[in-house]
Amino acid sequence: MADKDNNKKPSIWSKYTDADKQKLEALNRGYIDFISRCKTERESVAETIKQAEAVGYKDLREIISNRQRLKAGDKVYYAFMKKSIVLFQIGSEPIERGLKILGAHIDTCRLDVKQNPLYEDGGLAYLDTHYYGGIKKYQWVTLPLAMHGVVVKKDGTVLNIVIGENDGDPVFCVTDLLIHLAQEQLKKDGTKVVEGENLDILVGNYPLKDGDKESVKAGVLKLLKDNYNIEPEDFMSAELALVPAGKARELGFDRSMVLGYGQDDRVCSYTSLVAMLEVANMTLDRTACCLLVDKEEIGSYGATGMQSHFFENALAELMNVCGQYTELGLRRALQNSYMLSSDVSSAYDALYSSAYDKKNVAYVGKGMVFNKFTGSRGKSGASEANAEFVGKLREILDKNNVHYQFSELGKVDLGGGGTIAHIMAVYGMEVIDSGVAVLSMHAPWEATSKVDIYETKNGYVAFLKEI
């Protein structure tokens, strides 16, 4: 169902039956709800566990603790530091013959609160932040922002924080210089119009007691103590992020698209999760896996990023409780696996057409996107899929009537990007990037097509059933 020129493809909408359209809308309602509520990795992992347990998944740690054995058809999950998670559905074949893996990331661009953040200047109280991921800093000013995260007390008590999402909640913002005084600011390079150290969050103006030094800061501290039991020192053991406030929405007069925060890469993590749960009652030959990870936007570093060994360790634990673990068996399982590195691709934007090769770019509403290779400028840093694997995927997708397109990120010399594909390719497994085309990628609000979300989910299901 692919065409050598994506732009010449007919509309997919016209190919849908009424039943198809009902399924499409139901999937997108669930997706809009998911990205509206799950704006941090912790929230995404918690929701994943909730949905997985509802269809019979068990915690692998409990299986290990209880010295239980697993068999074909059993379903388990393994969460790590509450920020990454992997789901396994055990197939009938020995695990060493390889897995079929959907791998996406659940972190997204945001403003992180620093560990010594609160200060007062000019009668205003601010929280100092450090931006996370690749952003255009000027896009984050004057937006209503919500605070999501956790504060961990010295005694281990965890305070879950969400402020700014309900109608009665206050919100926060980064201020900007008024246009009347911005002549010098507007002469700056776009990367410096707003400096990273100026992405501080306005949080208060009410003095606790007039005339006292830093009385506004003192007033904020009192509110934090009274309302949330947060002391100044608690910021040292907190993970607090500022994200765009409000729910994702349908976009356009025709409601054909979705506008929301964090669609890179929650649009692929959600469709991967839904696909994994959709095959929960099917008999599979290869063991299926849905891998949702942290830290991709900053290079996949850290204990919860893909460059750590948590996935490899989880797979070893799984093989052990199945009575199949050997070091060689683990290595074979990894090498014999097939993986869709489920991440977004850039969508053609007519307002910036000069950035794209029109013959090799994804178009909104034209289906699931595949990037045979990533990287930048001469494929530097690329992971490139083997042609044989691509041919196998084409056969599966066409057989299951999945609409898809092949794409590159943009023109060859303009830049590029990467995903977790190259990290998994180290094991020797077959990997290709696939997912949904996104407009305004890495902006506070991103846009996607309902059609592309639906086709991508269907593509993931076909992969899990037939690879």
Side-chain angles (χ1 to χ4, degrees), residues 120 122-125 203-223:
E120 178 180 340
L124 300 172
V203 297
N205 177 235
Y206 200 128
L208 184 63
K209 184 177 181 181
D210 282 333
D212 285 0
K213 185 179 180 180
E214 295 193 325
S215 188
V216 175
K217 175 181 175 180
V220 170
L221 287 173
K222 185 176 187 303
L223 288 171

Side-chain angles (χ1 to χ4, degrees), residues 309-320:
H309 291 173
F310 88 89
F311 171 67
E312 186 178 332
N313 294 342
L315 179 56
E317 295 282 10
L318 178 76
M319 295 180 72
N320 191 54

Side-chain angles (χ1 to χ4, degrees), residues 265-450:
D265 185 37
R266 292 192 177 100
V267 68
C268 294
S269 59
Y270 181 76
T271 46
S272 294
L273 172 62
V274 171
M276 188 72 177
L277 302 184
E278 194 168 308
V279 302
N281 294 320
M282 297 181 184
T283 300
L284 303 177
D285 47 9
R286 291 176 179 268
T287 292
C289 170
C290 178
L291 176 62
L292 307 179
V293 298
D294 185 20
K295 298 293 188 290
E296 191 275 346
E297 295 294 2
I298 58 170
S300 297
Y301 297 105
T304 54
M306 200 62 247
Q307 296 207 51
S308 77
H309 291 173
F310 88 89
F311 171 67
E312 186 178 332
N313 294 342
L315 179 56
E317 295 282 10
L318 178 76
M319 295 180 72
N320 191 54
V321 295
C322 290
Q324 300 182 30
Y325 176 78
T326 65
E327 181 63 19
L328 181 58
L330 174 63
R331 297 298 156 197
R332 286 174 174 169
L334 291 165
Q335 181 171 292
N336 292 335
S337 292
Y338 294 93
M339 178 179 178
L340 297 185
S341 179
S342 305
D343 209 339
V344 298
S345 187
S346 60
Y348 176 75
D349 189 334
L351 301 181
Y352 305 97
S353 60
S354 62
Y356 306 98
D357 170 6
K358 291 185 179 181
K359 303 184 301 301
N360 292 284
V361 65
Y363 289 84
V364 169
K366 298 300 177 75
M368 183 180 186
V369 182
F370 286 89
N371 293 89
K372 187 175 184 292
F373 55 85
T374 53
S376 61
R377 299 182 183 90
K379 299 186 180 180
S380 176
S383 173
E384 183 158 2
N386 285 333
E388 290 84 355
F389 182 37
V390 177
K392 183 186 292 285
L393 288 171
R394 288 176 55 208
E395 179 187 23
I396 290 171
L397 297 170
D398 288 345
K399 176 183 176 181
N400 287 272
N401 297 314
V402 176
H403 298 84
Y404 60 95
Q405 52 187 319
F406 277 77
S407 171
E408 295 181 18
L409 195 63
K411 283 189 174 178
V412 172
D413 285 333
L414 282 188
T419 66
I420 64 172
H422 73 282
I423 301 168
M424 300 298 277
V426 167
Y427 295 113
M429 67 177 66
E430 298 274 17
V431 187
I432 191 170
D433 285 288
S434 67
V436 176
V438 175
L439 290 167
S440 306
M441 191 190 301
H442 280 214
W445 296 95
E446 300 166 315
T448 55
S449 163
K450 288 181 176 180

